[in-house]
Amino acid sequence: MSSFLTSSFMHNIFGGLAQGVIFSLVALSLVIIWQSTHVLNFAQGAMAMFATYVGLTEIGRGVGYWWCVLLSVVVGMALGGATERVLIRPLYGKPEINPIVVMVGFLAVLEAVATSIWTSTARTIAAPFSQIYFQSHGKLVLLSPFIIFQIVLAIGIMLLVAALFRFTKLGLQLRASALAPEVARLLGVRVNRMLTIGWMLSAGVGAIAAVILASGSFGLFPTDMDGVFVAGFIAAAVGGLESPIGAIAGGLLIGLAEQFILAYWSPNVAPLGGIIILVVALMIRPQGIFTKSVGRRV
Amino acid sequence: MIRVDDLSVSYGAVKALRNVSLEASPGLITAVLGANGAGKTTLLRTISGLVNPVGGDIHLGDTSLLRMPTEEICRLGLAHVPEGRGVIEELTVEDNLRLGALASKVDIAEGLEAQYAQFPALGDRRKKYCATLSGGERQMLAMARALIAQPRVLLLDEPSLGLAPQVTSDLMKLILRLCESKNLTVILVEQNAKGALRIAHNAVVLHLGAVVASGDAQTVAADEDLRRYYLGLVE
């Protein structure tokens, strides 16, 4: 057993999962927005980065780590809600390309503003978990308390989101607003409010991904989330943009693929992992692996 | 009570409603009849705030519904069962019903209980996804989902569409019973003029967006010209 845990195969599994949960969170946040407003939010990563800078390093100065995490999520949610109200709401009913262009622009603005305020050097904030790997009989197990924390936090957030959508009145109204906005309105659901809440939730989930990056040994820098966004976006596309489970699975898959390519091929081509999975998935199931094959009425 | 005054609606250059006026009172069924494209659905959608009129006014009691968002109109006690029933297929029967109760002050558990008592078939299928329901079951669900909020006004858009004759006949009887027992103001849009006139107290006939006849249902039903030219009721 212990030799199994220290095997290079398991090293790659742990490393891949640790990376994958970050992609999964971003993918999940993209799916939440896609489902509620049919917008592909290209600024998702940058919004998370910005919220985390504000929460972890700016207003979070001097307070404990957990307060910082909470602040980042709250700032992220506020930013998400404001973005929907100010930038996205005027674009409903307009061509689908409009919100994409606006959000790509918003991405550039957020990164530029972050760089000018906080410079482009990485910032870290120490999580109260050791980054030192466990050992078994003198050999390393590629797991540290921090990696366990990162995986547990991500899974906890996913379960929380799932429970919110599945079991609460708010979740029911969010689902109805996404599935059938007109019917929801006829039943008295305040759909516009639900769309704003959807963006808030999504941005809060995204912020957690940036918080994990900022808590790790390499820290967070203003363009750090670009690569994570691409992986998360591919994960959401592979899983099927309609499926939260698919997005999460897609994220884990890409994390693992990148890790194995890194280990057995070359670190330089690791980001190819996501692209390869995307190409294969688009060839086999272009509608997404987890999407049920039902037609959409238009 | 619903009062529609001089209502006009345009879709671009197309006039969908021309100066339509009607009144619907509590405890009575007002049937809105006419062929395809007569403006029946547009009338209901305008009352619900889904379509903005270019002229005229709509009152629920003393409150003007003009420019009011659909969800707020619903919260005033107006339930609209749309054409095609609007059952959300990806949700379970129970979630559809709960959704109907959320915006009202009704206790959800009690509301569910009452609807399952009224529609036992729905109780048996409460955990089933609505995609698996038959047309008749969907209509039942749509009715139950509208009634669970205990509305004062019920707008029904072609409830008989796609239903077998026996199911339609049972449904019409149910609508009449609900209207009288709960003192509901019912506006019933139907292409099936025969079935609708059998239960309606009043009737309005629309043709190309304008009212061509209105009055008590028996008078409308007895009018040979209306039957022949607008209602398709000549054997």
Side-chain angles (χ1 to χ4, degrees), chain A residues 17-26 28 66 69 146-162 205 208-212 248 252:
Chain A
L17 288 180
Q19 190 64 39
V21 290
I22 298 177
F23 300 157
S24 296
L25 284 173
V26 172
L28 177 63
W66 291 105
V69 173
F146 176 73
I147 291 180
I148 292 176
F149 153 72
Q150 149 177 6
I151 293 175
V152 169
L153 177 64
I155 292 174
I157 294 292
M158 292 168 196
L159 290 176
L160 209 64
V161 170
V205 171
I208 291 285
V211 163
I212 292 176
I248 291 165
L252 296 178

Side-chain angles (χ1 to χ4, degrees), chain A residues 166-170 172-173 175-176 179-180 182-192 294 297, chain B residues 45 48 50 70-72 74-75 80 82 86 88-91 95 98-100 102-103 108 129 145:
Chain A
R166 190 109 199 88
F167 300 117
T168 68
K169 290 178 189 175
L170 176 65
L172 179 59
Q173 295 183 73
R175 281 187 285 155
L179 291 166
E182 187 174 295
V183 172
R185 279 203 164 95
L186 286 175
L187 296 174
V189 177
R190 295 184 166 127
V191 172
N192 285 340
V294 284
R297 271 194 306 266
Chain B
R45 290 175 64 84
S48 280
L50 291 168
T70 301
E71 52 270 35
E72 305 308 326
C74 163
R75 283 161 188 256
H80 179 166
I88 303 180
E89 295 188 348
E90 296 89 340
L91 299 181
D95 276 349
R98 286 173 58 217
L99 197 59
L102 282 182
I108 293 182
Y129 283 92
R145 192 179 62 180

